[in-house]
Amino acid sequence: MLKMKPSTVRSFLQTILLLFWSAMAVWATEPKGSSPHGTNIFAPASTPAKSIADLSVFVLVITGIIFVVVFALLVYSVVKFRGRAMDAAREPAQVYGSTQIELAWTIIPILIVVVLFLATARVLHAVQDAPQPPGAVEVTAIGHQFWWEFRYPKLGVVTANELHIPVSDPANPTPTFLTLLSADTDHSFWIPELAGKTDLIPNHPNRIWMDPLRPGVFLGQCAQYCGVQHAKMLLRISVDSPADFAAWFHGQRQPAVQDASVATGRRVFESNACMNCHAVAGTNANGRFGPDLTHLMSRVTIASGAATNTPENLRLWIQDPNAIKPGSLMPAMKLSDSDLDAVVSYMETLR
């Protein structure tokens, strides 16, 4: 058999331990100055996410210790009891069991499982059964193939793909509670740094909440395969200061801008199938199959985060949605160049 020197075994174990703790340090380090924030579950920015991250670290530490102990015993056994030429003709010592050892390897795993179960149950209860305070922001999030609809029933605001919520001061908490619905198939709402993953199931409302502790932009996405464009069903959550959030929702409650210089584009928009799928407040467009476009240009992205919201991308999106999002359910409108330019100019006024 392969012979391993004790120094080699020690070096190998030290390397394993170094890699493990280095990974833990990287995961637990909060990114500095990153905007928007990424999808690191070990950089929580709200109470539910912190509870989940703490539980994850606890489980990783316990399982890491188990791995190191088992691996060390395995290496020790391989080295200590390796085959030798002098032992070829001898029968190894026969061990018929030890009550103490059998009790140990039965009771210890049971205790570990019980501890992990209780820790998990505690976090589940704290996250799922949290009471909703009177001042909480309420949002209805509806998953569509392949975009997000957000409705603020108390504020009278409807938007898409980019969720705005206020930062929650621990001294004066302002959490956001979301009711999760699906318009078609299964989706999953996941913003790793703000809350855990929760599914959106047809005819089965779910709930989730978050209380962001710092402002910024946080990213997420649908975490349940829902069709060909599942990977580009992205989420963008803007956590605003109370003043910025108030200014945002007051602006979103206003009707669409009426600009006479783009009347041609509005006429083209209302005379084509656009108005059958999209809504623009203050116009005849009242569709519900696609995102509300009343304040389209107040959003940073289009196509549920698949592209930056620029005039060039907007033109390409209207002309050929598959060029940005293959498999998108939005049809190509096949407009003439002049009509396409007019519609894009009209869209640019919807702020």
Side-chain angles (χ1 to χ4, degrees), residues 260-305:
S261 65
V262 292
T264 301
R266 175 176 172 176
R267 177 186 56 77
V268 173
F269 177 85
E270 293 182 341
S271 61
N272 282 275
C274 306
M275 63 180 295
N276 295 332
C277 293
H278 297 283
V280 178
T283 72
N284 295 327
N286 195 33
R288 290 290 180 265
F289 294 103
D292 189 298
L293 302 180
T294 305
H295 300 285
L296 171 65
M297 299 311 293
S298 68
R299 302 167 196 161
V300 179
T301 62
I302 58 174
S304 191

Side-chain angles (χ1 to χ4, degrees), residues 149-180:
E149 179 180 2
F150 298 118
R151 293 180 170 271
Y152 299 72
K154 291 185 177 180
L155 303 178
V157 170
V158 179
T159 186
N161 299 321
E162 297 182 6
L163 177 66
H164 284 254
I165 59 177
V167 69
S168 183
D169 183 358
N172 185 23
T174 312
T176 299
F177 280 72
L178 295 95
T179 300
L180 305 179

